[in-house]
Amino acid sequence: MKPTLKRSNAPIFWALFGAGGMLSALFGPMLVFITGIAVPLGLLLPPDTMSYPRMLAFAQNWIGKGFVFAVIALFLWHAAHRIFHSLHDVGIHAGTGAKLLCYGLAMLGTVVAAYALLTIGF
């Protein structure tokens, strides 16, 4: 008799976790350097690099929207998955409630980011 396989949504969350981890490892340090060090201190970049008109133009471009959305959404999913699996390490046996809270907040943040980027215009 062949065993019955149980369907799982784990590959979806692992894929989002992996993509978010890769993106945060590749772009996270650069984003911290540019937005937290280089522009405020005037190092290597012109002072108006992060000005409102430039950032608005970036966020209104399709490529800029895609980049901002990918960074926000994938960072959120990566953090949600890491937090969910770290609960066990701190002695909290995560159940359905913790899963709904962690992944629900990531989904909410993703939807809010998509809505905000779409309301900015093109």
Side-chain angles (χ1 to χ4, degrees), residues 72-86:
I72 292 171
L74 291 176
F75 277 33
L76 283 173
W77 285 100
H78 179 77
H81 197 68
R82 185 167 293 279
I83 290 168
F84 177 71
H85 284 284
S86 295

Side-chain angles (χ1 to χ4, degrees), residues 9-121:
N9 58 7
I12 295 167
F13 295 119
W14 279 104
L16 290 168
F17 169 76
M22 183 198 67
L23 195 67
S24 64
L26 293 175
F27 291 114
M30 176 213 37
L31 290 172
V32 169
F33 175 74
I34 290 172
T35 61
I37 298 170
V39 172
L41 296 178
L43 303 172
L44 304 172
L45 296 168
D48 67 336
T49 301
M50 301 286 291
S51 67
Y52 181 77
R54 283 186 179 218
M55 291 295 100
L56 180 62
F58 179 73
Q60 288 178 333
N61 184 342
W62 277 101
I63 296 170
K65 275 187 195 308
F67 181 75
V68 170
F69 180 74
V71 166
I72 292 171
L74 291 176
F75 277 33
L76 283 173
W77 285 100
H78 179 77
H81 197 68
R82 185 167 293 279
I83 290 168
F84 177 71
H85 284 284
S86 295
L87 289 175
H88 184 73
D89 295 339
V90 295
I92 300 171
H93 298 289
T96 305
K99 187 179 275 190
L100 286 173
L101 182 66
C102 288
Y103 297 126
L105 287 173
M107 177 62 83
L108 178 66
T110 299
V111 170
V112 168
Y115 176 76
L117 286 168
L118 288 174
T119 58
I120 288 174

